[in-house]
């Protein structure tokens, strides 16, 4: 649907801003969830077809907030390995091709995520980690899935945890990778005309509302034991995987 800023009521603006801030806090702790929570309030306000472009822009602010708050925890070598493989796939899928459009692929991805948590624990006990060249196809897979969807961050979080990262290092490294991914998505949507002026302004305002959330999340992580945070991330991965499976089944 055509979007104009004048169509947004004050109550809607407050609701969107409040949800954006809350989603940024949750996402700043879990590294995932913002792209699933925001559509709940954005779809009725701006229409489903505008949600992915808006979140692509807003994600820049979300991840810059996390990056600024947790700069010292970034694992730069992993960022350097995963980005070159993920960006081309983001551009491809942002043109409209994404694995999650397929019911069968959705079931496969969701099931893998659910299985990944016990598998990661089993492999960790045996000293295995996802590292080196293995992060290249992982980055490509994430890029392909996330390019045309919102809420695929659980896949990147699961890959980073499987590479041995814990605590703030998971969130900070996710933020560094996601900034580049969001830039690629936003540029692709802008080039395709999917971000007209009024929608871009709205996306920027949503993004600004998320910035303080990264700093609130860091304060919470500072007092949260690493083991508890790891358990929370594992729960997020399983819940995210189940959500993908259920959504795929409902499509059928």
């Amino acid at each position: 649907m055509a979007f104009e800023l004048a169509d947004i009521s004050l109550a809607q603006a407050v609701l969107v801003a409040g949800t954006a801030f809350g989603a940024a806090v949750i996402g700043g702790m879990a590294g995932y969830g913002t792209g699933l929570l925001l559509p709940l309030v954005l779809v009725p306000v701006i229409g489903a077809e505008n949600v992915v472009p808006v979140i692509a822009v807003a994600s820049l602010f979300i991840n810059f907030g996390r990056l600024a708050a947790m700069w010292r925890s970034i694992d730069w070598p992993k960022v350097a390995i995963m980005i070159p493989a993920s960006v081309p796939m983001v551009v491809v899928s942002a043109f409209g091709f994404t694995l999650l459009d397929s019911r069968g692929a959705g079931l496969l991805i969701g099931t893998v995520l659910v299985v990944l948590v016990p598998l990661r624990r089993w492999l960790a006990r045996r000293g295995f980690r996802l590292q080196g060249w293995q992060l290249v196809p992982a980055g490509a897979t994430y890029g392909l899935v996330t390019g045309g969807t919102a809420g695929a961050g659980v896949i990147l979080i699961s890959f980073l945890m499987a590479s041995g990262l814990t605590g703030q290092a998971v969130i900070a490294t996710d933020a560094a990778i996601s900034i580049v991914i969001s830039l690629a998505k936003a540029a692709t949507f802008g080039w395709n005309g999917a971000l007209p002026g009024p929608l871009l302004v709205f996306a920027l305002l949503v993004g600004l509302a998320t910035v303080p959330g990264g700093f609130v999340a860091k304060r919470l992580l500072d007092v949260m034991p690493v083991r508890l945070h790891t358990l929370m991330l594992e729960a997020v991965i399983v819940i995210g995987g189940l959500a993908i499976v259920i959504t795929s089944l409902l499509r059928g």
Side-chain angles (χ1 to χ4, degrees):
M1 69 180 185
F3 172 81
E4 296 294 338
L5 286 171
D7 297 332
I8 306 297
S9 69
L10 178 60
Q12 287 175 322
V14 171
L15 176 62
V16 169
T19 303
F21 171 75
V25 174
I26 294 171
M29 295 181 66
Y32 153 79
T34 307
L36 293 180
L37 293 173
L38 279 178
L40 299 178
V41 295
L42 290 180
V43 170
V45 175
I46 64 176
E49 69 275 16
N50 294 321
V51 167
V52 172
V54 165
I55 291 181
V57 174
S59 292
L60 287 171
F61 290 83
I62 295 168
N63 288 300
F64 269 118
R66 295 178 194 170
L67 195 72
M70 307 178 197
W71 177 266
R72 298 178 183 274
S73 300
I74 298 171
D75 189 320
W76 289 109
K78 289 183 173 60
V79 174
I81 291 173
M82 296 188 75
I83 281 179
S86 60
V87 170
M89 294 297 98
V90 167
V91 174
V92 169
S93 60
F95 273 111
F97 178 78
T98 172
L99 289 175
L100 293 183
D101 283 342
S102 165
R103 179 174 181 265
L107 288 170
L108 176 61
I109 292 169
T111 302
V112 168
L113 287 173
V114 173
V115 172
L116 188 60
V117 168
L119 178 62
R120 185 189 70 82
R121 285 179 168 239
W122 183 79
L123 291 174
R125 286 197 296 269
R126 284 154 180 77
F128 174 84
R129 287 186 177 180
L130 187 65
Q131 57 189 353
W133 68 267
Q134 297 163 333
L135 289 170
V136 175
T141 300
Y142 171 65
L144 184 63
V145 175
T146 198
T149 63
V154 64
I155 297 172
L156 180 56
I157 288 296
S158 65
F159 286 151
L160 292 176
M161 289 188 70
S163 74
L165 297 186
T166 60
Q168 291 190 23
V170 178
I171 310 303
T173 306
D174 170 88
I177 295 171
S178 297
I179 285 173
V180 179
I181 296 299
S182 296
L183 281 171
K185 288 176 69 172
T188 303
F189 286 129
W191 184 76
N192 283 334
L195 270 171
L199 194 64
L200 177 59
V201 172
F202 178 80
L204 293 173
L205 293 174
V206 173
L208 286 172
T210 70
V211 171
F215 293 90
V216 173
K218 183 183 185 301
R219 293 296 297 271
L220 294 172
L221 288 176
D222 283 341
V223 298
M224 179 181 289
V226 172
R227 177 173 173 77
L228 178 59
H229 186 231
T230 299
L231 290 173
M232 184 184 76
L233 290 176
E234 289 180 337
V236 161
I237 291 170
V238 172
I239 292 170
L242 288 173
I244 293 173
V245 169
I246 292 170
T247 301
S248 301
L249 289 172
L250 291 177
R251 285 198 191 105

